[in-house]
Amino acid sequence: MIAIRALEEKIQSEGQVFAGNVLKVSSFLNQQIDTAFLLEMGKEIARLYEGSGVNKILTVEASGIAIAVAAAFYMGVPVVFAKKGDAKNLSSDRFCAEVRSFTKGTVNVISVDRAYIKKEDKLLLIDDFLADGNALKGLLNIAAEAGAEVVGAAIAIEKGFQKGGDAIRSEGVRVESLAIIDKMTDTEILFRPQD
Ligand code: 5GP
């Protein structure tokens, strides 16, 4: 809970809202990284998924990697990150999914070498933001292709006014977000109360 309050305060004081519902948190998460704070967020994710049997974390490059590593450290598990790349460079040795980028509007193929996800794996999916849910759906598709179990997902900042969180929860996936923004304008950011 301390990490959640601190994250909300950091978003309030350092976050910048841009056109198209884009929140920039480049001062502590997306470009410069506040490492002590990152580790606190990772510790909170580890607490939320304690005892859940997760043996591996799956994220997507680039901005999911930092928080995934922080959580993985406290959970004592490895991190696998999906790479973004051109479909024609991908071999049959990879699990692939198409993902529309929220911030750029382009469609990327994300992929993971088949060596790094096995059907016995119990995965925790991690990303920095949840907006329309395309990145998370891409990771879910990769997990499904591998036949691995998805224990749940953990997100640093969910924009609750966008459709991704509801859509993915309604598919029965556990989604834990450290901060959920219900409303965001140039002048105010309102958070969903969490217990
Ligand atoms: P989604 O796929 O859920 O629509 O968007 C999530 C992905 O887009 C995340 O991987 C994140 O990198 C990026 N993203 C979505 N919304 C934002 C935002 O408001 N700010 C930043 N910095 N990244 C975002």
Side-chain angles (χ1 to χ4, degrees):
M1 281 312 280
I2 294 166
I4 291 172
R5 291 279 164 274
L7 176 57
E8 290 180 354
E9 280 165 22
K10 241 170 148 52
I11 294 169
Q12 289 286 14
S13 61
E14 299 179 36
Q16 294 174 291
V17 179
F18 286 81
N21 284 323
V22 175
L23 174 67
K24 292 226 167 167
V25 287
S26 305
S27 63
F28 67 93
L29 187 60
N30 285 147
Q31 185 147 119
Q32 175 169 258
I33 294 178
D34 179 334
T35 52
F37 188 67
L38 182 82
L39 293 177
E40 284 306 311
M41 291 196 289
K43 200 188 282 181
E44 177 62 11
I45 291 171
R47 190 188 68 76
L48 289 164
Y49 279 95
E50 198 173 357
S52 63
V54 167
N55 76 325
K56 196 172 282 178
I57 288 175
L58 176 63
T59 186
V60 55
E61 70 176 3
S63 52
I65 295 175
I67 183 152
V69 168
F73 174 78
Y74 288 105
M75 296 175 83
V77 300
V79 175
V80 173
F81 63 92
K83 295 191 175 206
K84 291 175 183 163
D86 196 336
K88 59 181 179 295
N89 293 330
L90 300 173
S91 70
S92 58
D93 300 338
R94 304 182 75 80
F95 300 118
C96 302
E98 279 193 350
V99 173
R100 175 170 294 279
S101 160
F102 179 82
T103 46
K104 300 193 184 81
T106 50
V107 175
N108 286 308
V109 175
I110 63 167
S111 71
V112 176
D113 190 311
R114 285 176 184 262
Y116 300 119
I117 310 181
K118 300 291 177 198
K119 63 179 188 318
E120 301 75 29
D121 283 332
K122 288 168 165 279
L123 302 175
L124 173 61
L125 311 182
I126 290 192
D127 207 358
D128 58 342
F129 273 88
L130 174 57
D132 289 337
N134 294 316
L136 211 45
K137 279 182 206 153
L139 294 177
L140 284 165
N141 288 340
I142 284 180
E145 210 189 327
E149 180 187 339
V150 173
V151 175
I155 304 290
I157 304 170
E158 175 177 343
K159 290 180 290 177
F161 55 89
Q162 294 181 273
K163 62 180 194 302
D166 286 349
I168 290 167
R169 288 186 185 94
S170 73
E171 287 174 18
V173 179
R174 177 180 173 194
V175 180
E176 302 281 356
S177 298
L178 299 183
I180 303 181
I181 296 173
D182 269 339
K183 188 177 173 208
M184 190 169 94
T185 67
D186 295 356
T187 50
E188 66 171 359
I189 297 176
L190 297 180
F191 295 97
R192 188 173 302 175
Q194 302 196 68
D195 28 66

